[in-house]
Amino acid sequence: MLAVDQLQLQHQQSFRFTWLWLDVGTFTAWCNSHLRKAGTQIENIDEDFRDGLKLMLLLEVISGERLPKPERGKMRVHKINNVNKALDFIASKGVKLVSIGAEEIVDGNAKMTLGMIWTIILRFAIQDISVEETSAKEGLLLWCQRKTAPYKNVNVQNFHISWKDGLAFNALIHRHRPELIEYDKLRKDDPVTNLNNAFEVAEKYLDIPKMLDAEDIVGTLRPDEKAIMTYVSCFYHAFSGAQKAETAANRICKVLAVNQENEHLMEDYEKLASDLLEWIKRTIPWLEDRVPQKTIQEMQQKLEDFRDYRRVHKPPKVQEKCQLEINFNTLQTKLRLSNRPAFMPSEGKMVSDINNGWQHLEQAEKGYEEWLLNEIRRLERLDHLAEKFRQKASIHESWTEGKEAMLKQKDYETATLSDIKALIRKHEAFESDLAAHQDRVEQIAAIAQELNELDYYDSPSVNARCQKICDQWDVLGSLTHSRREALEKTEKQLETIDQLHLEYAKRAAPFNNWMESAMEDLQDMFIVHTIEEIEGLIAAHDQFKSTLPDADKEREAILGIQSEAQRIADYNNIKLSGNNPYTSVTPQIINSKWERVRQLVPKRDHALLDEQSKQQSNEHLRRQFASQANIVGPWIQTKMQEIGRISIEMNGTLEDQLNHLKQYEQSIVDYKPNIDLLEQQHQLIQEALIFDNKHTNYTMEHIRVGWEQLLTTIARTINEVENQILTRDAKGISQEQMQEFRASFNHFDKDHGGSLGPEEFKACLISLGYDVENDRQGDAEFNRIMSLVDPNNSGIVTFQAFIDFMSRETTDTDTADQVIASFKVLAGDKNYITAEELRRELPPDQAEYCIARMAPYQGPDAIPGALDYKSFSTALYGESDL
């Protein structure tokens, strides 16, 4: 009011000559700039305002208020009443009207009419201008000085000569709308061009009518101050909303930037979760593939592929899983800090889903490794049995070769009595030999049966060979029986056979069978897994060697019988046929096989000693692995316990705790060479096909799982502290408050598990002064708080959720209402906003972000392309759906 009164006093003192300089065209243009909004205009101020109608309309437009209903009559009294209504309205706004009456206006007094218009301009266009509590005129001048300060050749000190060169007008426009003026191309020595440029741009783009004439300003020594103030005030009002719009735009940009960053983090989480789940989905079928291979080499290749998966492919995925959990926790913390709803991943992509998939993967992994090792054992057993079958079958086939033809001979038909007796004894010896070979045939059949039960890949050929042996054995039995019957028919006609030859045959056959069995045993393959087993075989072999002297005596006794028979025959001049008629086992055969047995014994010694050395080496590998595992296993368990203890202690600031944890993490990483050493030792054990270790309870699987859990736990603990720091800094929580929160939490965390149950959390809230006692009101309040700290209804409250709740209770954040108010400023107080307004006020990327997500406005005042910024703002804070 003081500013207006001072200006009015100046006006009154100079009233007798003031209107000599007033620019009627300027005032007319100013009035028309407002009347145009009401769809009308004036051409002559003193004539067009005489009936008071357009004067009242002008006041309604510039004030935004309704005046009393005008009188439409053409009589003088009607006009005076209308003008008085306008003057009364001006007076109601605190303006003192001196020497201005309704009669002068109705009579067309130009000076009085111009004085009234100037008074209206002072009140409604200039009075509201205030910068740093200055008067209206000084405030408008200070605003011009600040806006034009950065521009060369512009020095605004007043409202007359400072504007003559036109640069000040152009500077004002360029400061607010730089795209409209090429300021660098303007010249101070061309004021008319400068002024016309500013006037034309203002009229065309800013809706400010041309109130001044460039030639008049340049041609006047001191331009009209009132006219320039009136014109400049139009620029002030045209640009006054820019600051509000800039502030509103900044607030919206900040909110949208937070939202865009959160959406980017959500997209990263979704992609990482999808990739990890896809990898698990691809890997589990491979681990669950239990198709056995035919050879041990193929299964060992599968085992090597599995080791490669463990060493190369899985470790990066362990890191990705850990990083996924860290990203999820960080995102949830940022959402809580920005007052956004919690992030709910797509169906099937929750952290719990990842953990379930990972657990399924590790179960399949464990089962796959066990299956591989069992298959290798099975194939090893199969190879051993198959070789044993082939060896026994070859020995048997060698023995049966020619036997069928021998049994089919009819030599007894032309034999003498002595010959037939010999044939009978020989046949008895053969039957004895046949009976001795019955055990080998049964062994061959049993091995073939076991190969079939173990699903040996070449079972058809084994079965065919076994069947051939059994069929041949039945034929031999039938032929043997037939030959015995034929010989027995003529037995009565035969003479006794030399007892010495018979005795030789009877003793030679079992001894020959014993030698064959011994050769078979000495060449028999063996497979052992422990030092005790090989020592048992060595002891059995030593026992066999101890029987060799007695066997050698038996051999000499048998050979003595043959020598005695030959001596008697020679003594009695009996011509022998050369070969013992009762047996095909000659002394040469016995000696040859005995020599073969003697050669096989040292070979067997060497094979057993080699295997003993191998088992000793395996035992060394077991002890070496056990020694390292018995150190690493307890170390991992101790570190897990220490991390749990550190996470609930309050030693130092959060930054100190974070540094401590990171140093602790580095010490764990530095321990990795011990794990690698253990992996190398474990690989040596697997390559040696060692399947058990009695020296330790730790397996490599236990160590790997413990190590992965240790890395994940320390990373998760560090992330929790980082989120606490983020919460503290964002919410302005002091270190003392943070320690107080931690002390309260730890006091009720009785099991030191890092989380509180519902009852423990309720007791903690009561200790902090919250009214959550066991009554209806207390239960309702407690349920509300639980929905905030445990949105997933897991039944536990973590320390991070507790900190978020306490920080949210003590600090303020942006709200949906604040964002709606900011959008309303940009929209010019409308209930909707247009895409054009968004692109004008916001950066391009955030403007397009809003346009793409805002729903069409459906209100009664909607226009084509209107957008609903209210539902968009509430959706940002989870209060509605986009």
Side-chain angles (χ1 to χ4, degrees):
M1 285 300 300
L2 178 61
V4 175
D5 290 345
Q6 290 174 344
L7 287 174
Q8 285 180 333
L9 180 59
Q10 295 172 6
H11 160 65
Q12 293 164 13
Q13 292 172 350
S14 59
F15 183 75
R16 60 184 178 273
F17 58 84
T18 296
W19 312 118
L20 298 177
W21 47 261
L22 283 176
D23 189 341
V24 176
T26 299
F27 285 1
T28 301
W30 184 86
C31 291
N32 283 333
S33 69
H34 294 286
L35 288 172
R36 190 181 303 117
K37 299 176 182 177
T40 186
Q41 62 180 4
I42 63 173
E43 295 181 0
N44 190 315
I45 286 182
D46 54 350
E47 291 295 330
D48 291 346
F49 284 148
R50 290 179 63 183
D51 59 2
L53 294 176
K54 292 187 177 180
L55 178 60
M56 295 179 70
L57 184 60
L58 175 65
L59 290 171
E60 287 184 346
V61 171
I62 62 177
S63 68
E65 300 180 22
R66 296 291 295 178
L67 272 67
K69 185 177 181 181
E71 298 180 13
R72 296 294 180 179
K74 296 184 180 181
M75 298 178 64
R76 176 179 175 82
V77 66
H78 297 149
K79 298 179 180 179
I80 291 174
N81 288 339
N82 289 339
V83 174
N84 277 327
K85 290 178 182 179
L87 295 177
D88 290 342
F89 178 78
I90 296 172
S92 70
K93 298 302 180 182
V95 178
K96 296 180 181 179
L97 297 171
V98 181
S99 301
I100 299 178
E103 291 78 1
E104 286 84 353
I105 303 301
V106 173
D107 291 338
N109 188 320
K111 291 183 179 181
M112 291 300 177
T113 302
L114 291 174
M116 178 187 66
I117 297 302
W118 175 241
T119 300
I120 292 173
I121 293 173
L122 288 177
R123 173 59 184 84
F124 294 102
I126 300 178
Q127 177 183 339
D128 293 336
I129 300 175
S130 178
V131 180
E132 298 182 358
E133 300 182 355
T134 61
S135 66
K137 178 179 178 180
E138 292 172 347
L140 182 60
L141 182 62
L142 181 58
W143 178 79
C144 294
Q145 290 171 342
R146 289 184 174 178
K147 294 299 181 180
T148 60
Y151 293 87
K152 64 181 180 179
N153 298 327
V154 177
N155 183 16
V156 178
Q157 298 297 327
N158 48 56
F159 285 109
H160 38 80
I161 61 175
S162 295
W163 303 83
K164 285 188 65 174
D165 59 8
L167 292 178
F169 290 111
N170 284 278
L172 276 180
I173 298 173
H174 185 268
R175 180 64 182 268
H176 295 91
R177 298 290 298 275
E179 75 279 5
L180 301 180
I181 298 290
E182 294 183 289
Y183 187 82
D184 293 337
K185 295 184 177 181
L186 300 177
R187 295 187 298 116
K188 188 174 179 65
D189 58 357
D190 191 4
V192 174
T193 300
N194 298 339
L195 289 167
N196 284 329
N197 182 64
F199 297 161
E200 291 170 2
V201 169
E203 185 175 27
K204 182 176 181 180
Y205 296 103
L206 304 180
D207 200 24
I208 298 175
K210 185 177 181 182
M211 301 181 185
L212 304 175
D213 183 85
E215 286 76 6
D216 288 346
I217 294 176
V218 174
T220 303
L221 181 63
R222 188 175 187 273
D224 176 27
E225 184 178 46
K226 303 294 189 296
I228 291 180
M229 281 182 63
T230 301
Y231 189 61
V232 171
S233 69
C234 294
F235 284 94
Y236 175 87
H237 289 293
F239 297 137
S240 63
Q243 185 63 34
K244 294 181 180 179
E246 182 178 356
T247 301
N250 288 338
R251 177 183 291 275
I252 293 173
C253 289
K254 177 183 175 182
V255 172
L256 295 180
V258 170
N259 215 58
Q260 287 174 314
E261 180 184 1
N262 290 340
E263 288 186 356
H264 179 68
L265 290 174
M266 294 175 191
E267 292 171 358
D268 288 347
Y269 173 88
E270 291 281 342
K271 183 178 185 304
L272 188 57
S274 298
D275 292 345
L276 187 57
L277 286 170
E278 180 63 26
W279 178 81
I280 293 174
K281 184 179 180 181
R282 291 196 311 269
T283 305
I284 287 178
W286 175 67
L287 293 173
E288 291 179 345
D289 180 17
R290 300 292 192 271
V291 178
Q293 302 299 315
K294 294 182 178 180
T295 65
I296 191 171
Q297 290 77 15
E298 292 175 322
M299 289 305 299
Q300 285 175 337
Q301 181 59 47
K302 276 184 170 288
L303 181 60
E304 184 60 32
D305 293 341
F306 181 73
R307 290 177 186 151
D308 187 65
Y309 154 80
R310 275 273 182 78
R311 292 192 303 264
V312 178
H313 301 292
K314 185 181 178 184
K317 298 303 177 181
V318 173
Q319 287 296 110
E320 290 181 13
K321 178 176 177 292
C322 179
Q323 188 62 45
L324 186 72
E325 294 180 0
I326 291 173
N327 290 351
F328 181 83
N329 292 335
T330 301
L331 173 59
Q332 297 292 44
T333 299
K334 288 186 176 182
L335 288 172
R336 287 191 291 270
L337 293 179
S338 59
N339 202 23
R340 302 302 199 276
F343 170 57
M344 292 297 294
S346 302
E347 184 178 356
K349 296 181 182 177
M350 296 287 291
V351 173
S352 59
D353 297 322
I354 303 295
N355 290 333
N356 291 337
W358 193 264
Q359 184 178 7
H360 187 189
L361 174 75
E362 291 185 336
Q363 290 174 350
E365 184 177 300
K366 181 180 179 182
Y368 187 70
E369 185 176 28
E370 292 176 353
W371 174 76
L372 284 174
L373 297 178
N374 290 334
E375 272 300 299
I376 290 175
R377 293 192 191 100
R378 184 182 71 84
L379 291 175
E380 189 178 30
R381 171 68 175 164
L382 284 175
D383 286 350
H384 171 70
L385 287 175
E387 183 60 28
K388 191 171 185 178
F389 172 85
R390 287 190 289 270
Q391 188 180 65
K392 288 184 176 293
S394 297
I395 293 173
H396 177 78
E397 288 166 348
S398 177
W399 178 83
T400 58
E401 185 178 0
K403 295 295 190 293
E404 187 173 340
M406 180 195 72
L407 291 172
K408 290 180 179 180
Q409 289 179 1
K410 297 185 182 291
D411 51 346
Y412 54 85
E413 294 179 352
T414 58
T416 62
L417 262 181
S418 58
D419 292 335
I420 201 67
K421 290 286 187 180
L423 289 176
I424 291 174
R425 301 298 183 268
K426 182 178 180 181
H427 189 71
E428 290 175 350
F430 173 76
E431 286 181 329
S432 177
D433 199 10
L434 187 68
H437 279 78
Q438 176 67 34
D439 182 62
R440 181 180 291 113
V441 174
E442 292 175 355
Q443 290 180 8
I444 291 172
I447 292 172
Q449 179 64 28
E450 187 172 1
L451 287 172
N452 278 285
E453 291 173 355
L454 293 176
D455 196 24
Y456 182 55
Y457 76 96
D458 199 20
S459 292
S461 63
V462 170
N463 293 336
R465 190 172 184 181
C466 180
Q467 187 63 44
K468 182 179 179 181
I469 289 173
C470 291
D471 292 343
Q472 187 184 36
W473 186 256
D474 292 337
V475 171
L476 288 177
S478 177
L479 290 175
T480 300
H481 180 71
S482 298
R483 184 170 177 81
R484 168 172 283 280
E485 289 179 347
L487 290 173
E488 286 177 350
K489 286 182 181 179
T490 58
E491 184 180 8
K492 294 179 181 180
Q493 302 171 6
L494 300 178
E495 295 182 349
T496 59
I497 304 300
D498 188 352
Q499 291 300 317
L500 288 175
H501 279 187
L502 181 59
E503 184 181 358
Y504 172 89
K506 289 183 178 181
R507 293 181 67 174
F511 185 72
N512 179 64
N513 187 61
W514 175 85
M515 288 190 296
E516 289 181 349
S517 297
M519 287 188 293
E520 183 178 348
D521 291 340
L522 289 171
Q523 297 178 85
D524 189 17
M525 295 179 64
F526 57 84
I527 178 171
V528 295
H529 295 97
T530 65
I531 190 69
E532 291 80 6
E533 292 178 357
I534 189 61
E535 287 176 351
L537 290 178
I538 292 175
H541 183 62
D542 291 341
Q543 183 179 2
F544 167 76
K545 289 194 293 184
S546 67
T547 64
L548 290 179
D550 291 339
D552 191 37
K553 291 179 181 179
E554 176 66 12
R555 180 184 67 84
E556 292 178 350
I558 293 172
L559 294 178
I561 292 173
Q562 178 64 22
S563 298
E564 180 65 15
Q566 185 64 44
R567 186 187 66 77
I568 294 174
D570 292 340
Y571 179 78
N572 294 296
N573 296 321
I574 298 173
K575 187 176 182 179
L576 299 177
S577 61
N579 293 328
N580 193 320
Y582 303 112
T583 181
S584 59
V585 180
T586 65
Q588 292 78 12
I589 292 175
I590 292 175
N591 286 332
S592 174
K593 291 184 177 180
W594 177 254
E595 185 61 28
R596 178 61 178 161
V597 169
R598 291 182 61 193
Q599 292 174 356
L600 290 175
V601 168
K603 290 183 178 180
R604 184 72 167 184
D605 287 335
H606 182 70
L608 290 172
L609 290 176
D610 287 346
E611 184 62 27
Q612 185 182 37
S613 175
K614 175 184 175 183
Q615 291 303 322
Q616 288 172 346
S617 174
N618 290 352
E619 183 67 12
H620 172 71
L621 291 176
R622 288 189 184 96
R623 293 180 181 275
Q624 178 179 265
F625 175 83
S627 175
Q628 182 71 6
N630 289 335
I631 294 173
V632 173
W635 183 88
I636 291 176
Q637 294 172 352
T638 300
K639 293 300 178 183
M640 288 290 291
Q641 295 171 357
E642 291 177 358
I643 292 173
R645 187 182 69 254
I646 291 172
S647 66
I648 64 173
E649 291 178 350
M650 298 182 294
N651 297 330
T653 65
L654 290 177
E655 285 76 7
D656 295 337
Q657 295 176 32
L658 182 60
N659 291 333
H660 185 196
L661 285 171
K662 287 185 176 179
Q663 293 172 3
Y664 204 79
E665 181 185 37
Q666 186 57 45
S667 70
I668 292 174
V669 174
D670 293 342
Y671 197 75
K672 183 65 165 57
N674 295 279
I675 305 298
D676 296 337
L677 175 60
L678 204 59
E679 285 283 5
Q680 296 172 4
Q681 294 172 351
H682 179 65
Q683 182 173 350
L684 293 176
I685 284 179
Q686 287 195 325
E687 290 174 350
L689 299 179
I690 300 173
F691 304 111
D692 54 7
N693 193 339
K694 65 182 181 180
H695 304 296
T696 180
N697 292 326
Y698 293 100
T699 66
M700 196 62 229
E701 179 63 24
H702 292 152
I703 299 297
R704 292 191 192 106
V705 172
W707 178 252
E708 292 171 1
Q709 290 178 347
L710 181 60
L711 292 177
T712 301
T713 300
I714 187 63
R716 186 184 297 114
T717 304
I718 289 173
N719 178 246
E720 289 176 356
V721 175
E722 288 174 339
N723 284 340
Q724 292 174 24
I725 292 174
L726 185 62
T727 301
R728 181 199 66 191
D729 295 343
K731 300 297 185 178
I733 300 174
S734 65
Q735 182 65 30
E736 291 73 15
Q737 286 177 307
M738 187 65 72
Q739 290 180 346
E740 180 183 354
F741 294 159
R742 170 54 85 177
S744 298
F745 188 88
N746 288 347
H747 176 75
F748 292 96
D749 184 12
K750 302 300 184 183
D751 59 356
H752 304 295
S755 61
L756 300 179
E759 293 302 321
E760 293 174 330
F761 181 55
K762 177 181 282 189
C764 181
L765 290 176
I766 293 174
S767 71
L768 293 173
Y770 285 85
D771 185 11
V772 291
E773 297 292 345
N774 293 325
D775 53 35
R776 179 177 297 176
Q777 182 177 355
D779 290 341
E781 176 65 10
F782 180 69
N783 290 333
R784 181 190 70 81
I785 295 175
M786 280 299 291
S787 68
L788 296 176
V789 298
D790 184 22
N792 295 325
N793 296 323
S794 62
I796 61 171
V797 179
T798 64
F799 180 65
Q800 183 61 42
F802 176 72
I803 287 296
D804 291 341
F805 169 73
M806 295 305 297
S807 63
R808 196 159 51 238
E809 290 290 304
T810 57
T811 59
D812 295 327
T813 58
D814 288 334
T815 66
D817 290 340
Q818 291 174 331
V819 177
I820 290 172
S822 298
F823 271 117
K824 192 168 186 179
V825 172
L826 297 188
D829 289 336
K830 298 191 298 293
N831 291 324
Y832 58 85
I833 195 167
T834 65
E836 180 181 358
E837 289 170 333
L838 287 171
R839 292 190 177 102
R840 185 178 67 237
E841 301 295 347
L842 298 180
D845 59 334
Q846 294 184 340
E848 298 304 324
Y849 177 84
C850 293
I851 293 169
R853 287 164 174 77
M854 282 187 182
Y857 177 68
Q858 303 295 339
D861 55 341
I863 64 172
L867 300 175
D868 187 353
Y869 60 79
K870 292 183 179 179
S871 65
F872 173 77
S873 300
T874 56
L876 289 177
Y877 291 87
E879 301 175 13
S880 67
D881 296 327
L882 283 175

